[in-house]
Structures are given as structure tokens and as C-alpha cells.
Amino acid sequence: MRRKTVEELKRAGTYRADRHATREASGSLLKVLPPPPFALSDTARAVYQEEGARLIEMEILKPSDLRLLAMFSEETGVYISEMKAAREEGFVVVLPNGISATNAHRKTAEQAFKLAAALAEKLGLTPASRARLKGEAAFLDEKPGAPDPLDFLNN
């Protein structure tokens, strides 16, 4: 029986660093961030550049992760644009029949946030996932006094 490649395991969601990391060549780490694999909005492109640079600096970005990074960037871009629209219109809207309801932009933003959070976990953008992916203590790569990398979500 043929062993699955690391890429096949990741696509299937069965990749485990503790079991499969030895199969992955360390030379496959990216040193330069290539363009995204598909078109992104301006906001998503900025997120792609910023987070891609962070992942390269941490030495955990592989070519097989580029689609996930682009999807994370797109979902984060949707979150930012939908929250901006929700702030402008108000988080609660009054319908013509007088009933108050949550703004549709807010609901879309919440869905995008859930997807972005799940993708961030897979990419190693959270302290817990960095520890899992690198096999080190969660905060070893955090610099004291460094700004929160997701502060842009609050704008």
C-alpha cells in the first residue's frame, strides 16, 4: 500500500505533525512570498502580504499552505469590509414592520470571522497552533511589547 504524501494528508485533514513531519522536506519552506494563487480584494491582498511575511519569518510557510493563506486573507478581508458596512448602517436595524433585527452585514462578518479563525488555526497564526506546528512553547516567538498582529481587525 502506497503512503500518502504530506500534501494529500493535509488536504484530507489527517496530517499530524508528530507523525508526518519527518516526511516533509525542510527545504520546501518558502523564503519569498509568491503572489496569491487567485485574485484577492485590496484588503485581502494586504492581509496576504502581512501574514505571509510573518509565516515566512517564523519559517513555517510551505507552498502547500498558499491556498489556505489566500483563503484566510479573503475571509479576513470580507470580515473587515462587512464590519465597516455594519458600523456605518448600525449593528441593529429596524425593519419596515417595526421589528429590530441584526444587520445582515454583521451576520456576514460573523461567518467570515469563524472561517478566518479556523483557517488561522491551520496556518499557525495563533499561539496554540504555532506551538503545535513548531513543537515549541507557545510564546517563544512572541517579542515583549510587540503589537498584536490582528489589531487591524479592530479598525
Side-chain angles (χ1 to χ4, degrees), residues 139-153:
F139 299 104
L140 285 180
D141 61 338
E142 298 289 336
K143 296 177 180 74
D148 183 359
L150 296 178
D151 269 347
F152 67 91
L153 294 176

Side-chain angles (χ1 to χ4, degrees), residues 7-152:
E7 284 72 28
E8 290 171 325
L9 292 167
K10 284 182 178 181
R11 276 194 302 269
T14 56
Y15 175 80
R16 290 186 49 191
D18 60 326
R19 291 185 180 183
H20 307 116
T22 55
R23 290 193 222 169
E24 201 160 21
S26 62
S28 67
L29 293 173
L30 292 174
K31 302 291 183 204
V32 177
L33 185 65
F38 50 84
L40 298 173
S41 67
D42 291 339
T43 306
R45 183 173 292 281
V47 172
Y48 179 85
Q49 297 291 334
E50 183 178 334
E51 298 303 332
R54 273 187 58 220
L55 292 169
I56 287 174
E57 183 181 313
M58 292 187 305
E59 297 181 346
I60 58 174
L61 186 65
K62 297 178 175 52
S64 58
D65 298 328
L66 289 176
R67 287 192 184 278
L68 276 178
L69 176 60
M71 288 186 281
F72 166 78
S73 302
E74 189 62 40
E75 290 303 325
T76 304
V78 168
Y79 173 81
I80 292 168
S81 63
E82 292 296 316
M83 282 302 287
K84 182 179 178 184
R87 272 192 220 108
E88 290 170 0
E89 295 176 12
F91 291 115
V92 177
V93 294
V94 179
L95 301 176
N97 61 2
I99 297 174
S100 297
T102 303
N103 189 322
H105 292 293
R106 173 66 186 214
K107 289 181 180 180
T108 303
E110 289 171 357
Q111 282 298 101
F113 180 79
K114 287 178 186 176
L115 292 170
L119 291 166
E121 182 71 25
K122 290 178 188 274
L123 283 167
L125 293 172
T126 64
S129 64
R130 277 196 297 277
R132 179 179 47 80
L133 290 174
K134 294 198 58 118
E136 298 175 357
F139 299 104
L140 285 180
D141 61 338
E142 298 289 336
K143 296 177 180 74
D148 183 359
L150 296 178
D151 269 347
F152 67 91

